């Protein structure tokens, strides 16, 4: 009789647990105190999973106040433990050095090759956001392998000191807004001028915004009305950049898809403070092409170089 009695007790306990999980007031448990010690199905630093409920993310450590956007960066990592955290720290340190200085050459400068290995020494705090938080969970299998956005905040004084070691300095003050005026010949006709409204440019607008953020810049895609005022159309494209408003850097160019490479070929030109600049890139995807545009503007506007200094 002992066996059936034990089984009956186990079923009763299981039914109570399932009933509690289905109650409207059931809440996720607090996040684990040590995210590095979690195992599969354990609560993450971003919150505990119970059904599809999620505790809001909280920062790992206390951040000093007023850490500006030039001293913070994001990376997509797997989980919230130590598997990819050092890699995320290294990636974000490179981005912050570039953003804070306005010197894109620092990203691949051999003088900083060893710095990312010790990126944690310069971190003020960090936090995670679950990229799949809106996706209901059927069980806890694989929750520790979910993609997360790791946001890392670096100590400004430490970053400024690193820049000084390499002969750079923080790029202070207002930054120019990048305004691309591009004639696009894509994989399929017809060609078009990239605008804020054209449906064919939806992905490219998003790619431009991502590229600008990587350099601590902003991008503004012109409207159809502005392009018409500038005389920019498929049949009549301006040979020179139109006059730029204060605080804007207008880049005029052409982006062509080549089946031979295959890849995109881009040629750009810009007038900045009375000087003309021309540069370009080839055999790339359009993410790299737009990054090349923003990079060129950053080099010129920050005063550290010219747009044709590699990529």
């Amino acid at each position: 009789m002992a066996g059936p009695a034990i089984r009956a007790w186990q079923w009763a306990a299981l039914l109570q647990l399932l009933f509690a999980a289905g109650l409207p007031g059931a809440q996720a448990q607090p996040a684990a105190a040590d995210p590095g010690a979690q195992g599969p199905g354990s609560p993450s630093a971003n919150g505990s999973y119970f059904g599809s409920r999620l505790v809001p993310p909280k920062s790992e450590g206390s951040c000093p106040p007023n850490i500006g956007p030039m001293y913070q960066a994001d990376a997509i990592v797997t989980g919230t433990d130590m598997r990819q955290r050092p890699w995320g720290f290294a990636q974000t340190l490179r981005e912050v050095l570039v953003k804070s200085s306005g010197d894109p050459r620092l990203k691949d400068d051999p003088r900083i090759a060893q710095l990312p290995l010790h990126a944690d020494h310069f971190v003020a705090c960090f936090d995670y956001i679950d990229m799949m938080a809106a996706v209901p969970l059927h069980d806890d299998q694989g929750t520790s392998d979910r993609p997360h956005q790791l946001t890392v905040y670096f100590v400004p004084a430490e970053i400024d000191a690193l820049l000084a070691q390499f002969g750079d300095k923080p790029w202070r003050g207002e930054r120019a807004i990048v305004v691309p005026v591009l004639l696009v010949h894509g994989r399929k006709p017809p060609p078009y001028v990239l605008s804020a409204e054209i449906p064919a440019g939806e992905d490219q607008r998003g790619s431009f915004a991502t590229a600008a953020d990587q350099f601590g810049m902003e991008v503004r895609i012109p409207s159809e009305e502005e392009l018409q005022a500038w005389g920019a159309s498929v049949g009549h494209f301006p040979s020179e950049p139109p006059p730029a408003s204060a605080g804007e850097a207008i880049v005029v160019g052409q982006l062509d898809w080549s089946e031979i490479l295959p890849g995109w070929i881009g040629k750009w030109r810009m007038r900045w403070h009375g000087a003309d600049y021309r540069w370009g890139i080839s055999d790339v995807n359009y993410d790299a092409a737009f990054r090349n545009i923003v990079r060129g503007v950053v080099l010129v506007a920050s005063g550290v170089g010219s747009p044709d200094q590699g990529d």
Side-chain angles (χ1 to χ4, degrees), residues 192 194-195 198-211 221 286-287 290:
Y192 59 89
L194 181 64
S195 71
I198 190 165
E202 181 178 359
D203 289 343
Q204 294 172 351
R205 289 190 290 268
S207 178
F208 246 126
T210 299
I221 308 298
Y286 62 69
D287 293 326
F290 297 156

Side-chain angles (χ1 to χ4, degrees), residues 4-54:
I6 293 174
R7 288 195 295 271
W9 176 86
Q10 290 174 330
W11 276 107
L14 179 59
L15 288 173
Q16 287 180 350
L17 179 61
L18 293 174
F19 178 76
L23 289 176
Q27 297 295 323
Q29 298 300 308
D34 182 7
Q38 70 184 41
S42 301
S44 73
N46 191 49
S48 298
Y49 298 94
F50 197 80
S52 62
R53 299 177 186 272
L54 178 69

Side-chain angles (χ1 to χ4, degrees), residues 148-170:
H148 287 74
Q149 176 181 290
L150 168 63
T151 301
V152 185
Y153 305 81
F154 290 89
V155 181
E158 297 282 356
I159 297 300
D160 293 351
L162 287 176
L163 295 179
Q165 291 180 25
F166 303 122
D168 274 293
K169 60 183 179 180

Side-chain angles (χ1 to χ4, degrees), residues 64-89:
N66 303 321
I67 293 182
M70 301 308 159
Y71 296 97
Q72 56 183 270
D74 303 324
I76 304 302
V77 297
T78 298
T80 60
D81 52 28
M82 289 300 294
R83 286 172 297 171
Q84 287 197 322
R85 188 182 298 168
W87 177 86
F89 281 2

